[in-house]
Amino acid sequence: MEGSGLASLDERITGCRACPRLVAWREEVARTKRAAFADWTYWGRPVPGFGPPDARLLVVGLAPAAHGGNRTGRMFTGDRSGDVLYEALYAVGLASQPTSVSADDGLELYGVRVTAPVHCAPPGNKPTTEERDTCRPWLVQELRLLRPSLRCVVALGAFGWQSALTALAETGIPVPRPRPAFGHGARVKLEGLELFGCFHVSQRNTFTGRLTPRMLRDVLRTAGETAGLPTTPEHDR
């Protein structure tokens, strides 16, 4: 039941046209493309979450990249942020391969689903508050469908953290007041699950060393173990 519900949700997400600015931007990018991807047929639509319907761990980002998910149709696929995330998931034993280049590359996630609070690529990677709020019901529905199996949420960045807390509250999970502050390594125990904070895998963070591969792996491994997923010890990679 949950699987068919999640598949239906993903399909409905890909047809959304609720935010005129985002619709115009994602479609313009898909038409003009980037020179390096001139031979690609861009996805150019909202990007649904990726991962199994019985995931125990949910990773929440920000939004698809214009020439990443907006090109490939898979969340965090085709850009350097995705390269960092999926390599880390593979390193801790939660993905079948270290790369994610296209929607048909055979990648599988083990007990993990990846999603975002905003499903369309926004100009400058900055959705407006109105766009974030308009998109929130999709995340709320996704959380409700995952709730029977979900044990942990990893929020990438402050935007993902606040979005996750708001969406979790809308599903009926009590959230502390005042809201817990975001920080890398932050952990908040909620009713039936735990929320983890992690710096976003943006190039600004990974190129400057604010977020190192080890820091990311440590959060993902801890969250995976907390969720009851089998992970790979650091010394095995």
Side-chain angles (χ1 to χ4, degrees), residues 114-178:
V114 181
T115 193
V118 176
H119 287 275
C120 291
N125 291 322
K126 294 181 178 179
T128 66
T129 299
E130 182 180 0
E131 289 162 351
R132 177 203 64 194
D133 294 347
T134 299
C135 211
R136 183 183 301 124
W138 296 124
L139 180 57
V140 173
Q141 291 178 63
E142 189 171 18
L143 286 165
R144 284 179 174 146
L145 289 166
L146 289 170
R147 193 66 187 92
S149 61
L150 191 63
R151 297 295 176 267
C152 289
V153 176
V154 172
L156 300 176
F159 189 97
W161 177 268
Q162 294 300 333
S163 297
L165 282 170
T166 300
L168 286 165
E170 289 192 20
T171 68
I173 294 176
V175 172
R177 295 276 188 184

Side-chain angles (χ1 to χ4, degrees), residues 74 83 85-91 94-102 104-110 237:
R74 181 198 282 165
D83 293 344
L85 176 62
Y86 287 116
E87 184 176 11
L89 285 168
Y90 174 75
L94 298 176
S96 64
Q97 60 192 43
T99 58
S100 182
V101 296
S102 67
D104 59 358
D105 61 9
L107 173 66
E108 292 183 56
L109 300 184
Y110 304 138
R237 290 287 182 195

